[in-house]
Amino acid sequence: MAKRRLLVLFGSQTGTAQDTAERVGREAKRRHFLCRVEALDSCDVANLIHEPLVVFVCATTGQGDPPDNMKMFWRFLFRKNLPAGSLCQLDYAVLGLGDSSYPKFNFIAKKLHKRLLQLGGNPLLPVALGDDQHDLGPDAVVDPWLVALWDKILALYPLPPGLEIISPDMRLPPKYTLRYLPEDSPLPSSDLLQPAAPGAAPCELHPFAARMVSNQRVTAQSHFQDVRLIEFDIAGSGITFSAGDVVMIQPQNCPEDVQQFCQLLRLEPHRRFVLEPTEPGTSLPPLLPQPCTIQDLVTHYLDISCVPRRSFFELLAYFSTNELEREKLQEFSSAQGQEELYSYCNRPRRTTLEAMWDFPHTTCAIPADYLFDLIPRIRPRAFSIASSMLAHPERMQILVAVVRYKTRLSKPRRGLCSTWLASLNPEQGDVRVPLWVKKGGMKFPADPATPVIMIGPGTGVAPFRAAIQERVAQGRRGNCLFFGCRHKCKDFYCQTEWEELVTKGFLTLFTAFSRDQEEKVYVQHRIQENRKLVWELLSSGNAHVYLAG
């Protein structure tokens, strides 16, 4: 009897591919497989040659790029020296998640499927191409594909004698058990940030707690949009960056939401616990201290403000003691209920916490052990760095538009990270923000003679401020910036700085203030008006053009 072992590997940027991979993992457990679900970069790729059965779930990001948590795997897999038959013992299936409005739709899944085939792998099914643009989302493809996949897998690896598929009516055990510590046990250290190894640059697992130096509103008080120029002190962090790089910031939930969540679930915020994996071999969640308080768990880890996914309602239905609530939850988690779920959740951007309010009987019955299965972790947010180390050594600045908008729900929607950052006041004490730096997609020319045309409406100007500061510090002139906003007197970010550089001959600046006159004027109008100059820079100056929104 072949060993019934299944490995599910995912490459996920926003969490959708991870959510789908975990769904495959749950379905495997119902079919009595020994199953591990891991990010592609967390698994040792060299061990793939010993794996009999692997399901890959991959998203495609940007212009056909692999997600961050599969980049190392991707580089390894495409090494020229891998022998052609090295994966001949591997049965595999690839499930792609993409968006057909992009030219490189599901590029990563297609390319992965092809490469595994080249290396001798045996595909169980054609590659699945889930599409965000479909009325029912990716599930329109995923649901039938998974039915076909289990048929194939069970034909190769039949159920052991005497065992049946665990019924969908039965609740699977949680990933972890939450063991409360006695009230009088010693307090956990309040420092949630694990320092990086000496000499190592900060990263997602070891962010740097940067001190916020200033948090300044750069739009007029009368302007509808609150935009901040925020400065951090990164002295002693080992962080280095250049123009075009991105800072990743790990946000946290606001105290009111944390308090509401604890009340709804009848959790005691100051109770301390340790986590124990239900199955041996399951790793503990990274970035969560052991022991930990409920307050810290909800503040720093559980994403209670994200829009809940189908899997949230599916698991919630198991805890429901109220028939009406259970029926609704089961409808939201069924294939037929996806349009209604979209109208309830995605269209109005309803949060997990708000959905819990709507199912009060069920919510107060959620066992704490299942919190990690039910609610994803808070993901870091990316911001273009808006300053240069050459101009501001040991400092880093970002330009943040505070996200706030209305939907049909009475309460305005707020961006988790931007709202949290805007609420911090460094004048009222020591304020720390966990962050690390990632290489950005923009590379500025190495040749000092190459002119640069930058088009940056609104906060899209952030990376260009870094580039201009860097280039000016190096004595480079050919800097041409097209900047657009609504009003000259309300949201013209860094106006004084730009005007000084124009006076000194370092910058050619074109501005478009769309609402300052009857006809709306945008950056594209200014480009057209100055087409002669633009063409001259392109044709004889070999200029590079950059655009950020």
Side-chain angles (χ1 to χ4, degrees), residues 80-124:
K80 299 270 191 295
N81 60 355
L82 295 182
S86 47
L87 295 181
C88 59
Q89 85 319 322
L90 174 73
D91 288 328
Y92 75 90
V94 177
L95 165 49
L97 297 173
D99 183 323
S100 58
S101 66
Y102 284 81
K104 294 207 165 175
F105 171 57
N106 263 314
F107 181 74
I108 297 300
K110 292 172 187 170
K111 204 169 170 184
L112 173 62
H113 184 78
K114 205 168 155 186
R115 181 61 175 152
L116 294 168
L117 205 53
Q118 281 176 348
L119 294 171
N122 317 300
L124 295 172

Side-chain angles (χ1 to χ4, degrees), residues 418-461:
S418 60
T419 305
W420 172 62
L421 286 172
S423 75
L424 302 173
N425 184 353
E427 287 166 22
Q428 288 181 351
D430 188 41
V431 172
R432 300 278 169 165
V433 171
L435 52 78
W436 65 99
V437 165
K438 248 175 57 177
K439 275 279 153 243
M442 278 188 184
K443 299 278 179 285
F444 291 89
D447 180 355
T450 307
V452 170
I453 299 168
M454 295 161 279
I455 306 152
T459 52
V461 80

